[in-house]
Amino acid sequence: MSLVISQSEPAGLPPGASLVHLPVIRQRVVLRPHTGAEDLLVKETSGGETRAALTVAESLVRDLEGRAVAWGELCASDLDAFILELRRLWIGDRIRGDVQCSTSDCGQRIDIEFTITDFLAHHQPGDSPPAVRGWTVRSLDDCGWYRLQQDPGPAAVEFRLPTPNDQLAVAGRADAIEELARRCLRPANVRAGLRR
């Protein structure tokens, strides 16, 4: 399921609000109309891109019961997809880029063009991850932890996807990779090959 604005919104939504589906947790949330105040809020927010994205999402979105969404605890991919959807709604679906190849002996201009709708559809999560080269992933609980298991064999590691709170906690740290592993892997000191 990709992030889409519902075409048939349930009764009881505030005027001008839209129903949005978050792709990883597959939760529906209510997006209130943009007033422009969010632009000022982002401008005044310090702490980088993740903090700015959280500020906008926390300002504009509520769950179906009208409660705040715990964006910092969701998978970072849901926040990223939401911000892309906002960009699609506010500016348009098409993204165009004109960059120069960074290879020293090239320097050619590269034109890139795609739609946010196609990008999100291409990257939508499946119902269950496929087994890859003898490895399987199984959900452990409702808190987002999974077990990556080599079949057959004893090699296994438990993991969860990083959250915006994780990103904020490790931002600017010299040991960011180790701290992220400590937060998102069990055991955190798993051997390098299994960590990959």
Side-chain angles (χ1 to χ4, degrees):
M1 172 186 301
S2 62
L3 185 68
V4 294
I5 300 298
S6 173
Q7 298 303 316
S8 58
E9 298 171 355
L13 284 180
S18 302
L19 189 63
V20 175
H21 299 272
L22 301 177
V24 177
I25 65 165
R26 296 185 167 113
Q27 177 181 338
R28 297 185 309 166
V29 294
V30 177
L31 170 66
R32 73 166 174 76
H34 174 242
T35 64
E38 296 78 23
D39 299 335
L40 294 174
L41 198 57
V42 169
K43 189 75 171 162
E44 295 170 354
T45 299
S46 61
E49 295 170 356
T50 300
R51 175 60 61 204
L54 281 170
T55 299
V56 169
E58 289 165 352
S59 172
L60 288 173
V61 177
R62 294 291 178 260
D63 71 9
L64 294 178
E65 286 75 41
R67 297 175 303 226
V69 175
W71 284 101
E73 298 170 16
L74 298 182
C75 172
S77 298
D78 275 335
L79 180 60
D80 292 342
F82 178 73
I83 294 301
L84 273 174
E85 183 63 22
L86 286 183
R87 195 273 186 202
R88 186 189 73 76
L89 290 170
W90 294 352
I91 299 173
D93 195 31
R94 187 160 307 282
I95 292 181
R96 293 183 180 144
D98 179 19
V99 296
Q100 187 172 2
C101 178
S102 60
T103 306
S104 61
D105 61 339
C106 179
Q108 292 289 324
R109 301 298 301 174
I110 302 169
D111 293 324
I112 300 168
E113 184 174 331
F114 60 94
T115 66
I116 292 170
T117 300
D118 289 344
F119 179 85
L120 290 173
H122 178 75
H123 292 287
Q124 67 183 330
D127 290 331
S128 62
V132 177
R133 290 181 268 150
W135 291 88
T136 57
V137 175
R138 292 182 182 85
S139 178
L140 293 178
D141 56 33
D142 292 335
C143 297
W145 283 92
Y146 298 88
R147 174 182 290 267
L148 177 66
Q149 179 78 44
Q150 188 174 24
D151 297 323
V157 66
E158 294 176 359
F159 70 95
R160 67 173 174 77
L161 299 173
T163 67
N165 285 344
D166 293 325
Q167 292 175 325
L168 291 172
V170 304
R173 290 180 61 150
D175 65 342
I177 292 172
E178 293 306 314
E179 178 61 15
L180 194 59
R182 188 189 67 72
R183 291 168 158 269
C184 299
L185 294 175
R186 295 189 298 214
N189 62 348
V190 67
R191 62 183 170 81
L194 189 53
R195 181 186 287 193
R196 260 194 315 281

